[in-house]
Amino acid sequence: MEQQKCSGRDAITGQAITVTFDSRIRSVAPAAEGDGPWLAPGFIDLQVNGFAGVDYNDPSAAHDAIARSLRAQFARGTARLLPTVITGPKDAMAACLRNLAAARAAVPGGGAIEGFHVEGPHISPEDGARGAHPLASVRPPDFDEFRGWQDACGGLVRIVTLSPEWPGAPKYIERITAEGVVASIGHTSAGAEQIADAVKAGATLSTHLGNGAHQMLRRHPNYIWEQLAEDRLSAGFIVDGIHLGGAFLKSALRAKGIARSLLVTDASTPAGAAPGRYMLGEQPVDLTPEGRVVLAGTDRLAGSALDMAAGVANLMRLAGLTLADAVRMATVNPASAARIEGRARGIAEGERADLVEFRCAPLGALEISGVWIAGERVV
Ligand SMILES: [Zn+2]
Protein backbone atom coordinates (compact mmCIF):
# COMPACT_ATOMS: atom_id res chain seq x y z
CA MET A 1 0.00 0.00 0.00
CA GLU A 2 1.26 3.46 -0.92
CA GLN A 3 2.16 5.81 1.92
CA GLN A 4 -0.24 8.66 2.67
CA LYS A 5 -0.20 11.65 4.98
CA CYS A 6 -2.75 13.63 6.92
CA SER A 7 -2.38 16.55 9.29
CA GLY A 8 -4.39 17.99 12.12
CA ARG A 9 -4.54 18.20 15.89
CA ASP A 10 -4.48 14.94 17.84
CA ALA A 11 -7.81 14.97 19.70
CA ILE A 12 -6.27 13.13 22.67
CA THR A 13 -2.98 15.01 23.09
CA GLY A 14 -4.02 18.35 21.55
CA GLN A 15 -0.76 18.49 19.55
CA ALA A 16 -0.55 19.47 15.89
CA ILE A 17 0.74 16.44 14.01
CA THR A 18 1.40 15.02 10.57
CA VAL A 19 0.70 11.29 10.35
CA THR A 20 2.37 9.14 7.69
CA PHE A 21 0.73 5.77 7.17
CA ASP A 22 0.03 2.80 4.97
CA SER A 23 -2.00 0.07 6.63
CA ARG A 24 -0.12 0.98 9.82
CA ILE A 25 0.95 4.35 11.16
CA ARG A 26 4.60 4.74 10.12
CA SER A 27 5.39 8.07 11.77
CA VAL A 28 3.80 10.84 13.78
CA ALA A 29 5.68 14.12 13.44
CA PRO A 30 5.03 17.51 15.05
CA ALA A 31 3.41 19.99 12.64
CA ALA A 32 2.95 23.74 12.64
CA GLU A 33 0.07 24.89 14.85
CA GLY A 34 -2.97 25.91 12.85
CA ASP A 35 -6.71 25.61 12.82
CA GLY A 36 -6.65 22.24 11.05
CA PRO A 37 -9.16 19.52 11.78
CA TRP A 38 -9.01 17.16 14.74
CA LEU A 39 -7.53 13.73 14.18
CA ALA A 40 -8.54 10.75 16.31
CA PRO A 41 -8.12 7.01 16.07
CA GLY A 42 -11.14 5.44 14.35
CA PHE A 43 -13.98 4.88 16.78
CA ILE A 44 -14.53 1.36 18.12
CA ASP A 45 -18.08 0.23 18.93
CA LEU A 46 -18.18 -2.90 21.08
CA GLN A 47 -21.96 -3.26 21.00
CA VAL A 48 -24.11 -2.74 17.93
CA ASN A 49 -27.16 -4.85 17.09
CA GLY A 50 -27.88 -3.30 13.72
CA PHE A 51 -27.76 0.00 11.86
CA ALA A 52 -29.35 1.86 8.96
CA GLY A 53 -32.38 -0.44 8.86
CA VAL A 54 -30.23 -3.61 8.86
CA ASP A 55 -30.73 -6.18 11.63
CA TYR A 56 -27.62 -8.14 12.67
CA ASN A 57 -29.96 -10.51 14.53
CA ASP A 58 -31.58 -11.64 11.31
CA PRO A 59 -29.79 -14.80 10.14
CA SER A 60 -30.80 -14.01 6.58
CA ALA A 61 -29.63 -10.36 6.56
CA ALA A 62 -28.33 -9.79 3.02
CA HIS A 63 -24.61 -9.18 2.67
CA ASP A 64 -25.09 -6.03 0.58
CA ALA A 65 -27.39 -4.69 3.31
CA ILE A 66 -24.74 -5.46 5.94
CA ALA A 67 -22.18 -3.65 3.75
CA ARG A 68 -24.52 -0.65 3.57
CA SER A 69 -24.89 -0.63 7.36
CA LEU A 70 -21.08 -0.61 7.68
CA ARG A 71 -20.74 2.34 5.31
CA ALA A 72 -23.35 4.24 7.33
CA GLN A 73 -21.30 3.63 10.47
CA PHE A 74 -18.02 4.63 8.76
CA ALA A 75 -19.68 7.97 7.96
CA ARG A 76 -20.10 8.44 11.71
CA GLY A 77 -16.46 7.70 12.48
CA THR A 78 -16.71 4.02 13.43
CA ALA A 79 -13.76 2.06 12.08
CA ARG A 80 -14.07 -1.16 14.08
CA LEU A 81 -17.14 -2.80 15.53
CA LEU A 82 -18.40 -5.91 17.22
CA PRO A 83 -21.80 -6.73 15.72
CA THR A 84 -23.84 -8.00 18.62
CA VAL A 85 -26.10 -11.04 18.61
CA ILE A 86 -28.61 -11.10 21.45
CA THR A 87 -30.64 -13.80 23.19
CA GLY A 88 -32.59 -15.97 20.79
CA PRO A 89 -33.17 -19.62 19.95
CA LYS A 90 -29.91 -21.58 19.90
CA ASP A 91 -29.91 -22.31 16.17
CA ALA A 92 -30.86 -18.73 15.29
CA MET A 93 -27.98 -17.24 17.29
CA ALA A 94 -25.44 -19.52 15.61
CA ALA A 95 -26.99 -18.77 12.21
CA CYS A 96 -26.66 -15.01 12.79
CA LEU A 97 -22.98 -15.40 13.67
CA ARG A 98 -22.40 -17.60 10.62
CA ASN A 99 -24.08 -15.07 8.34
CA LEU A 100 -22.20 -12.09 9.80
CA ALA A 101 -18.86 -13.91 9.54
CA ALA A 102 -19.59 -14.77 5.90
CA ALA A 103 -20.47 -11.11 5.22
CA ARG A 104 -17.27 -10.00 6.94
CA ALA A 105 -15.23 -12.11 4.54
CA ALA A 106 -17.22 -11.16 1.45
CA VAL A 107 -18.08 -7.46 1.47
CA PRO A 108 -15.95 -4.33 0.97
CA GLY A 109 -15.16 -2.88 4.38
CA GLY A 110 -15.98 -6.19 6.06
CA GLY A 111 -12.65 -6.07 7.85
CA ALA A 112 -14.11 -3.36 10.11
CA ILE A 113 -15.94 -6.22 11.79
CA GLU A 114 -13.30 -6.96 14.40
CA GLY A 115 -15.25 -9.82 15.91
CA PHE A 116 -18.58 -10.43 17.58
CA HIS A 117 -20.27 -9.73 20.87
CA VAL A 118 -22.76 -12.34 22.06
CA GLU A 119 -25.11 -10.68 24.55
CA GLY A 120 -27.08 -13.43 26.26
CA PRO A 121 -28.68 -15.90 26.37
CA HIS A 122 -27.20 -16.70 29.82
CA ILE A 123 -28.68 -13.58 31.41
CA SER A 124 -31.19 -12.91 34.17
CA PRO A 125 -34.73 -14.13 33.47
CA GLU A 126 -36.10 -11.32 35.67
CA ASP A 127 -38.16 -8.48 34.21
CA GLY A 128 -36.14 -5.27 33.99
CA ALA A 129 -32.79 -7.02 34.31
CA ARG A 130 -33.60 -8.98 31.17
CA GLY A 131 -34.32 -5.79 29.21
CA ALA A 132 -35.79 -6.51 25.79
CA HIS A 133 -34.35 -10.03 25.57
CA PRO A 134 -37.07 -12.68 25.05
CA LEU A 135 -37.67 -14.70 28.23
CA ALA A 136 -38.40 -17.91 26.33
CA SER A 137 -34.79 -18.04 25.09
CA VAL A 138 -32.99 -17.20 28.36
CA ARG A 139 -30.98 -20.24 29.50
CA PRO A 140 -28.08 -21.17 31.83
CA PRO A 141 -24.41 -20.98 30.74
CA ASP A 142 -23.48 -23.77 28.36
CA PHE A 143 -19.89 -24.10 27.16
CA ASP A 144 -20.91 -26.42 24.32
CA GLU A 145 -23.13 -23.67 22.98
CA PHE A 146 -20.14 -21.28 23.14
CA ARG A 147 -18.14 -23.83 21.09
CA GLY A 148 -20.99 -23.83 18.59
CA TRP A 149 -20.82 -20.03 18.27
CA GLN A 150 -17.07 -20.14 17.68
CA ASP A 151 -17.47 -22.91 15.09
CA ALA A 152 -20.16 -20.87 13.33
CA CYS A 153 -18.08 -17.67 13.04
CA GLY A 154 -14.51 -18.92 12.78
CA GLY A 155 -13.57 -18.18 16.38
CA LEU A 156 -14.40 -14.48 16.18
CA VAL A 157 -16.55 -14.14 19.32
CA ARG A 158 -14.70 -11.50 21.31
CA ILE A 159 -17.12 -10.61 24.15
CA VAL A 160 -19.82 -12.66 25.87
CA THR A 161 -22.28 -10.84 28.13
CA LEU A 162 -23.80 -13.02 30.83
CA SER A 163 -25.24 -12.80 34.32
CA PRO A 164 -23.18 -14.28 37.17
CA GLU A 165 -26.40 -15.22 38.97
CA TRP A 166 -26.34 -18.64 37.27
CA PRO A 167 -24.65 -21.29 39.43
CA GLY A 168 -22.40 -22.41 36.55
CA ALA A 169 -21.25 -18.88 35.72
CA PRO A 170 -17.77 -18.85 37.37
CA LYS A 171 -16.70 -22.08 35.67
CA TYR A 172 -18.07 -20.87 32.34
CA ILE A 173 -16.24 -17.54 32.72
CA GLU A 174 -12.99 -19.37 33.47
CA ARG A 175 -13.34 -21.44 30.33
CA ILE A 176 -14.20 -18.63 27.90
CA THR A 177 -11.58 -16.24 29.29
CA ALA A 178 -8.97 -19.03 28.97
CA GLU A 179 -9.76 -18.85 25.24
CA GLY A 180 -9.09 -15.11 25.14
CA VAL A 181 -12.74 -14.06 25.14
CA VAL A 182 -13.84 -11.14 27.33
CA ALA A 183 -16.51 -12.07 29.88
CA SER A 184 -18.82 -9.14 30.54
CA ILE A 185 -21.40 -8.81 33.30
CA GLY A 186 -24.77 -7.57 32.15
CA HIS A 187 -28.54 -8.03 32.27
CA THR A 188 -28.02 -9.32 35.78
CA SER A 189 -29.69 -9.56 39.14
CA ALA A 190 -26.56 -11.03 40.73
CA GLY A 191 -25.67 -10.38 44.35
CA ALA A 192 -22.38 -8.95 45.61
CA GLU A 193 -20.81 -12.34 46.15
CA GLN A 194 -21.80 -13.59 42.70
CA ILE A 195 -20.28 -10.51 41.09
CA ALA A 196 -17.09 -10.96 43.12
CA ASP A 197 -16.93 -14.62 42.07
CA ALA A 198 -17.37 -13.65 38.42
CA VAL A 199 -14.48 -11.17 38.66
CA LYS A 200 -12.33 -13.77 40.41
CA ALA A 201 -13.14 -16.15 37.55
CA GLY A 202 -11.94 -13.60 34.98
CA ALA A 203 -14.78 -11.18 34.10
CA THR A 204 -13.30 -7.79 33.14
CA LEU A 205 -16.20 -5.77 31.75
CA SER A 206 -19.70 -4.52 32.59
CA THR A 207 -22.18 -4.34 29.73
CA HIS A 208 -24.05 -1.00 29.40
CA LEU A 209 -23.81 -0.31 33.13
CA GLY A 210 -26.97 1.30 34.53
CA ASN A 211 -29.20 -0.26 31.86
CA GLY A 212 -30.63 -3.75 31.60
CA ALA A 213 -31.56 -3.25 35.25
CA HIS A 214 -34.64 -3.50 37.45
CA GLN A 215 -36.98 -0.50 37.57
CA MET A 216 -36.78 -0.65 41.41
CA LEU A 217 -33.56 -1.54 43.16
CA ARG A 218 -32.52 -1.78 46.81
CA ARG A 219 -30.54 1.41 47.56
CA HIS A 220 -27.47 -0.53 48.70
CA PRO A 221 -25.99 -2.97 48.27
CA ASN A 222 -26.99 -3.56 44.68
CA TYR A 223 -25.33 -4.81 41.52
CA ILE A 224 -24.71 -1.32 40.11
CA TRP A 225 -22.64 -0.19 43.12
CA GLU A 226 -20.80 -3.52 43.21
CA GLN A 227 -19.72 -3.14 39.59
CA LEU A 228 -18.92 0.57 39.90
CA ALA A 229 -16.64 -0.14 42.86
CA GLU A 230 -14.81 -3.07 41.26
CA ASP A 231 -11.61 -1.71 39.69
CA ARG A 232 -11.00 -4.89 37.72
CA LEU A 233 -14.14 -4.17 35.66
CA SER A 234 -14.22 -1.68 32.82
CA ALA A 235 -17.73 -0.53 31.89
CA GLY A 236 -19.61 0.33 28.75
CA PHE A 237 -22.13 3.19 28.79
CA ILE A 238 -24.90 4.04 26.31
CA VAL A 239 -24.63 7.82 26.01
CA ASP A 240 -27.65 8.76 23.93
CA GLY A 241 -29.23 11.06 26.54
CA ILE A 242 -32.12 8.59 26.85
CA HIS A 243 -30.70 5.44 28.47
CA LEU A 244 -28.90 7.26 31.30
CA GLY A 245 -29.67 10.53 33.04
CA GLY A 246 -26.89 13.10 33.25
CA ALA A 247 -26.42 12.76 37.03
CA PHE A 248 -25.99 8.99 36.89
CA LEU A 249 -23.68 9.26 33.90
CA LYS A 250 -21.44 11.86 35.56
CA SER A 251 -21.36 9.97 38.86
CA ALA A 252 -20.67 6.64 37.20
CA LEU A 253 -17.83 8.04 35.06
CA ARG A 254 -16.24 9.64 38.13
CA ALA A 255 -16.57 6.44 40.15
CA LYS A 256 -15.31 4.17 37.40
CA GLY A 257 -12.67 6.59 36.12
CA ILE A 258 -12.33 7.57 32.47
CA ALA A 259 -9.60 4.99 31.83
CA ARG A 260 -12.01 2.17 32.67
CA SER A 261 -15.04 3.67 30.88
CA LEU A 262 -16.07 3.26 27.28
CA LEU A 263 -18.79 4.43 24.97
CA VAL A 264 -21.01 1.90 23.23
CA THR A 265 -23.92 2.70 20.99
CA ASP A 266 -26.04 -0.44 21.61
CA ALA A 267 -27.54 0.73 18.31
CA SER A 268 -30.31 -1.40 16.91
CA THR A 269 -31.86 -1.75 13.47
CA PRO A 270 -33.46 1.73 13.20
CA ALA A 271 -30.30 3.64 14.17
CA GLY A 272 -29.39 6.01 11.36
CA ALA A 273 -32.79 5.40 9.72
CA ALA A 274 -36.19 7.12 9.74
CA PRO A 275 -38.75 6.71 12.57
CA GLY A 276 -41.02 3.69 12.08
CA ARG A 277 -41.25 -0.04 12.73
CA TYR A 278 -38.27 -2.39 12.37
CA MET A 279 -37.30 -5.90 13.48
CA LEU A 280 -34.71 -6.79 16.13
CA GLY A 281 -34.33 -10.55 15.81
CA GLU A 282 -37.84 -11.91 16.07
CA GLN A 283 -39.23 -8.86 17.87
CA PRO A 284 -40.77 -5.76 16.27
CA VAL A 285 -39.34 -2.47 17.55
CA ASP A 286 -40.38 1.12 16.96
CA LEU A 287 -38.14 4.14 16.49
CA THR A 288 -40.13 7.06 17.88
CA PRO A 289 -39.79 10.62 16.52
CA GLU A 290 -37.99 11.46 19.82
CA GLY A 291 -35.25 8.95 18.98
CA ARG A 292 -36.28 6.19 21.40
CA VAL A 293 -36.11 2.58 20.24
CA VAL A 294 -38.78 0.58 22.08
CA LEU A 295 -40.35 -2.86 21.86
CA ALA A 296 -43.37 -2.27 19.63
CA GLY A 297 -46.38 -1.08 21.60
CA THR A 298 -44.43 -0.66 24.88
CA ASP A 299 -42.09 1.87 26.47
CA ARG A 300 -39.34 -0.73 27.08
CA LEU A 301 -36.06 0.34 25.47
CA ALA A 302 -34.73 -2.11 22.90
CA GLY A 303 -31.38 -0.60 21.99
CA SER A 304 -30.65 2.90 20.81
CA ALA A 305 -30.59 5.04 17.70
CA LEU A 306 -27.13 6.31 18.64
CA ASP A 307 -23.96 6.47 16.56
CA MET A 308 -20.41 6.86 17.85
CA ALA A 309 -19.91 10.46 16.66
CA ALA A 310 -23.09 11.55 18.44
CA GLY A 311 -22.00 9.58 21.51
CA VAL A 312 -18.69 11.47 21.66
CA ALA A 313 -20.54 14.78 21.41
CA ASN A 314 -23.02 13.63 24.08
CA LEU A 315 -20.17 12.78 26.46
CA MET A 316 -19.02 16.39 26.25
CA ARG A 317 -22.53 17.85 26.45
CA LEU A 318 -24.12 15.57 29.07
CA ALA A 319 -21.17 14.51 31.20
CA GLY A 320 -18.99 17.59 30.80
CA LEU A 321 -16.01 15.63 29.48
CA THR A 322 -13.20 17.22 27.51
CA LEU A 323 -12.91 16.23 23.86
CA ALA A 324 -9.79 14.24 24.77
CA ASP A 325 -11.60 12.14 27.40
CA ALA A 326 -14.67 11.65 25.20
CA VAL A 327 -12.42 10.44 22.36
CA ARG A 328 -10.54 8.11 24.73
CA MET A 329 -13.87 6.51 25.64
CA ALA A 330 -14.55 5.85 21.95
CA THR A 331 -11.09 4.65 20.92
CA VAL A 332 -8.25 3.49 23.17
CA ASN A 333 -10.49 2.43 26.07
CA PRO A 334 -12.70 0.04 24.07
CA ALA A 335 -9.55 -1.25 22.34
CA SER A 336 -8.07 -2.12 25.74
CA ALA A 337 -11.29 -3.56 27.14
CA ALA A 338 -11.81 -5.83 24.13
CA ARG A 339 -8.06 -6.42 23.62
CA ILE A 340 -8.13 -5.15 20.05
CA GLU A 341 -4.65 -5.50 18.63
CA GLY A 342 -2.82 -2.36 17.44
CA ARG A 343 -5.40 0.09 18.70
CA ALA A 344 -4.78 0.70 22.39
CA ARG A 345 -2.10 3.43 22.08
CA GLY A 346 -3.88 6.14 20.10
CA ILE A 347 -2.24 7.82 17.11
CA ALA A 348 1.21 6.27 17.45
CA GLU A 349 3.81 4.63 15.26
CA GLY A 350 2.98 0.97 14.63
CA GLU A 351 -0.73 1.26 15.41
CA ARG A 352 -3.23 0.27 12.74
CA ALA A 353 -4.00 3.25 10.48
CA ASP A 354 -7.62 3.66 11.59
CA LEU A 355 -8.15 7.43 11.62
CA VAL A 356 -11.00 9.92 11.81
CA GLU A 357 -10.70 13.56 10.76
CA PHE A 358 -13.37 15.93 12.07
CA ARG A 359 -14.28 19.39 13.25
CA CYS A 360 -16.47 20.30 16.21
CA ALA A 361 -19.53 22.34 15.25
CA PRO A 362 -20.60 25.16 17.59
CA LEU A 363 -23.16 22.92 19.36
CA GLY A 364 -20.52 20.24 19.85
CA ALA A 365 -21.59 17.93 17.03
CA LEU A 366 -18.76 16.18 15.21
CA GLU A 367 -18.54 16.98 11.51
CA ILE A 368 -16.60 14.11 10.01
CA SER A 369 -14.56 14.84 6.89
CA GLY A 370 -12.39 11.73 6.54
CA VAL A 371 -12.19 8.15 7.80
CA TRP A 372 -9.42 5.64 7.07
CA ILE A 373 -9.49 1.95 8.03
CA ALA A 374 -6.14 0.18 7.91
CA GLY A 375 -5.01 3.04 5.67
CA GLU A 376 -7.86 2.75 3.22
CA ARG A 377 -10.01 5.85 2.90
CA VAL A 378 -13.69 4.92 3.41
CA VAL A 379 -15.21 8.41 3.92
ZN1 LIG B 1 -28.42 -5.17 26.51
Side-chain angles (χ1 to χ4, degrees):
M1 183 183 272
E2 211 172 298
Q3 287 208 339
Q4 307 169 69
K5 279 184 200 292
C6 64
S7 295
R9 287 170 292 165
D10 184 322
I12 293 178
T13 67
Q15 282 167 348
I17 52 171
T18 295
V19 186
T20 306
F21 58 94
D22 42 40
S23 67
R24 297 257 168 184
I25 295 173
R26 296 304 167 191
S27 71
V28 182
E33 291 289 340
D35 66 346
W38 294 107
L39 291 176
F43 302 148
I44 299 174
D45 191 352
L46 301 184
Q47 189 168 4
V48 50
N49 308 286
F51 205 85
V54 182
D55 181 9
Y56 297 156
N57 285 268
D58 172 3
S60 59
H63 290 184
D64 61 345
I66 292 170
R68 176 163 48 82
S69 77
L70 295 177
R71 288 196 299 275
Q73 289 170 88
F74 299 160
R76 305 301 293 147
T78 296
R80 304 280 167 182
L81 63 150
L82 300 186
T84 302
V85 173
I86 70 163
T87 303
K90 189 171 174 177
D91 291 348
M93 291 180 72
C96 289
L97 289 167
R98 190 174 298 114
N99 184 51
L100 289 162
R104 175 182 184 271
V107 306
I113 296 178
E114 184 73 23
F116 301 105
H117 181 163
V118 180
E119 188 192 16
H122 319 309
I123 56 169
S124 178
E126 292 186 19
D127 285 352
R130 196 179 71 251
H133 292 233
L135 178 60
S137 292
V138 171
R139 48 194 182 268
D142 175 354
F143 189 72
D144 287 340
E145 182 166 4
F146 169 81
R147 282 260 66 88
W149 299 336
Q150 292 291 39
D151 290 345
C153 69
L156 286 168
V157 172
R158 181 63 58 89
I159 298 177
V160 173
T161 292
L162 77 157
S163 171
E165 73 201 70
W166 294 99
K171 185 81 211 158
Y172 178 89
I173 290 169
E174 277 174 19
R175 294 183 76 176
I176 65 169
T177 53
E179 305 218 354
V181 171
V182 174
S184 189
I185 298 171
H187 289 281
T188 188
S189 61
E193 205 169 314
Q194 292 169 323
I195 290 171
D197 286 346
V199 171
K200 211 179 296 166
T204 52
L205 186 60
S206 296
T207 293
H208 53 49
L209 193 57
N211 293 112
H214 296 83
Q215 284 292 336
M216 299 291 287
L217 210 51
R218 182 175 168 174
R219 69 198 189 292
H220 48 73
N222 68 48
Y223 48 74
I224 295 178
W225 293 121
E226 295 302 323
Q227 292 179 79
L228 273 180
E230 176 50 76
D231 288 345
R232 288 170 288 179
L233 293 173
S234 295
F237 297 95
I238 307 169
V239 189
D240 61 351
I242 293 170
H243 278 73
L244 298 171
F248 176 83
L249 181 65
K250 275 188 184 175
S251 306
L253 293 177
R254 290 171 187 168
K256 188 48 75 179
I258 295 300
R260 282 186 286 266
S261 299
L262 51 104
L263 169 70
V264 296
T265 64
D266 198 24
S268 59
T269 315
R277 180 151 297 180
Y278 298 85
M279 293 300 288
L280 174 60
E282 296 177 335
Q283 308 185 100
V285 296
D286 290 333
L287 173 61
T288 70
E290 301 77 40
R292 298 170 68 89
V293 181
V294 293
L295 282 180
T298 77
D299 60 358
R300 279 163 65 192
L301 292 170
S304 83
L306 185 62
D307 62 66
M308 289 297 283
V312 169
N314 286 343
L315 280 168
M316 293 187 279
R317 185 171 57 89
L318 301 172
L321 297 194
T322 60
L323 175 66
D325 279 346
V327 166
R328 281 189 184 96
M329 281 184 60
T331 58
V332 291
N333 296 0
S336 297
R339 302 182 206 123
I340 292 176
E341 183 272 326
R343 287 298 316 272
R345 292 187 297 124
I347 299 179
E349 194 180 308
E351 293 282 272
R352 289 197 251 175
D354 296 352
L355 296 163
V356 187
E357 178 192 272
F358 63 93
R359 289 180 188 274
C360 286
L363 289 173
L366 271 53
E367 291 174 348
I368 290 170
S369 49
V371 179
W372 292 260
I373 299 178
E376 191 187 329
R377 187 159 193 162
V378 293
V379 172

